[in-house]
Amino acid sequence: MQPALNPDKDQADYVFLNRWAIKSNEIRRGDIISLISPKDPGQKIIKRVVGVEGDLVATLGYRKEIIRVPEGHCWIEGDHTGHSMDSNNFGPVSIGLITAKASCIVWPPSRWQLIHSFLPDSRVPLNLVSKSIIGIVQF
Amino acid sequence: MRKFIFSTIGSVGYIIKYGCVAHCTFEYVGDFVMCSGPSMEPTIYSDDILLTEHISALTQRISRGDIIIAKCPTNPKQQICKRVVGLPGDKIRVGFADSRIVPVGHVWLQGDNTNNSTDSRSYGPVPQGLIRSRALCRVWPLKNASLLTN
């Protein structure tokens, strides 16, 4: 998840995982969430939500170039593109696997901050990109 | 008046304490689940109540043939009750000639009522992380109470 979390290689960030934030199963794009790995149920991973159900996502190295995220699933990616075990590897993940949302960094003290929803422009789902282009044309 | 306040605080404390114990039991040890829908007939009928245990799901000791309760992969608010047919690495026949291999970390779920069940044949293998518990026995209706493990 570099550089949003663990920007230093040798210093680990501790985050506060908020379980209540996902009780309603409302997952938003750009949130950082923790989930049970679909490949290994004993492992927990932390990723950023890139697409929610119904979104058209341009994948990076998945077997399909463009995928529509199926019902009840989301598309998750690590920020460190290419060095991350994420949806580009195992495909869309079921929302039921999500355990919590990371809401703030609590340790080390020099990195105290809330984690804000953020999605790089290059990773915005295609269905939203085309809408914003239309918006610009109308403007 | 003082005595009344102390006794109120005391009973609230008891409620919280036993609430926590109950929560931990239902979350990590076992609970009761009411099933609805036809997908597991003739093993389980609609509105049967099952006793389930969470320990084998938490320690990932699910074996072939177990009846499990899992979160539905397409709708996280819904739970499904199915039989584990395939474990990672198993080859599953789908349709006439097609076959699929269950990927690592997943299971293949099917209802016993093959003709009327939405299961892995429609949504594919299910991640093991979605499994919540394993059904042990049926407790209601009483005259049909029986073990579901074999």
Side-chain angles (χ1 to χ4, degrees), chain B:
Chain B
M1 188 62 196
R2 217 168 147 188
K3 208 175 160 189
F4 173 75
I5 292 170
F6 275 122
S7 72
T8 320
I9 292 172
S11 46
V12 169
Y14 267 117
I15 292 169
I16 292 172
K17 204 159 35 176
Y18 289 108
C20 291
V21 170
H23 171 82
C24 291
T25 315
F26 290 143
E27 196 68 30
Y28 300 106
V29 182
D31 62 356
F32 296 95
V33 176
M34 190 165 138
C35 295
S36 55
S39 70
M40 280 302 280
E41 284 170 16
T43 320
I44 299 165
Y45 289 92
S46 211
D47 298 340
D48 282 5
I49 296 178
L50 310 179
L51 173 66
T52 68
E53 54 98 2
H54 292 246
I55 296 160
S56 12
L58 290 170
T59 55
Q60 292 151 34
R61 280 190 210 131
I62 297 288
S63 39
R64 225 169 275 122
D66 284 351
I67 296 171
I68 52 110
I69 313 285
K71 277 187 193 165
C72 179
T74 52
N75 177 7
K77 284 175 193 147
Q78 201 189 356
Q79 301 210 336
I80 51 173
C81 177
K82 305 276 178 224
R83 195 182 286 278
V84 177
V85 175
L87 294 176
D90 288 0
K91 211 171 181 182
I92 305 288
R93 276 250 313 264
V94 187
F96 264 116
D98 247 1
S99 71
R100 289 185 68 170
I101 291 175
V102 182
V104 178
H106 289 66
V107 288
W108 192 268
L109 301 180
Q110 272 185 24
D112 286 1
N113 191 355
T114 324
N115 299 322
N116 192 355
S117 165
T118 314
D119 48 33
S120 281
R121 287 167 300 167
S122 64
Y123 42 66
V126 176
Q128 279 177 23
L130 290 178
I131 298 176
R132 295 227 348 117
S133 56
R134 183 171 75 110
L136 284 182
C137 58
R138 181 187 6 240
V139 292
W140 191 266
L142 277 177
K143 63 172 180 197
N144 289 334
S146 60
L147 278 180
L148 292 171
T149 50
N150 35 14

Side-chain angles (χ1 to χ4, degrees), chain A residues 110-130:
Chain A
S110 57
R111 305 237 325 126
W112 275 348
Q113 57 184 292
L114 290 176
I115 297 174
H116 295 291
S117 235
F118 164 76
L119 198 57
D121 286 339
S122 59
R123 298 307 298 142
V124 173
L126 298 176
N127 48 331
L128 301 181
V129 172
S130 49

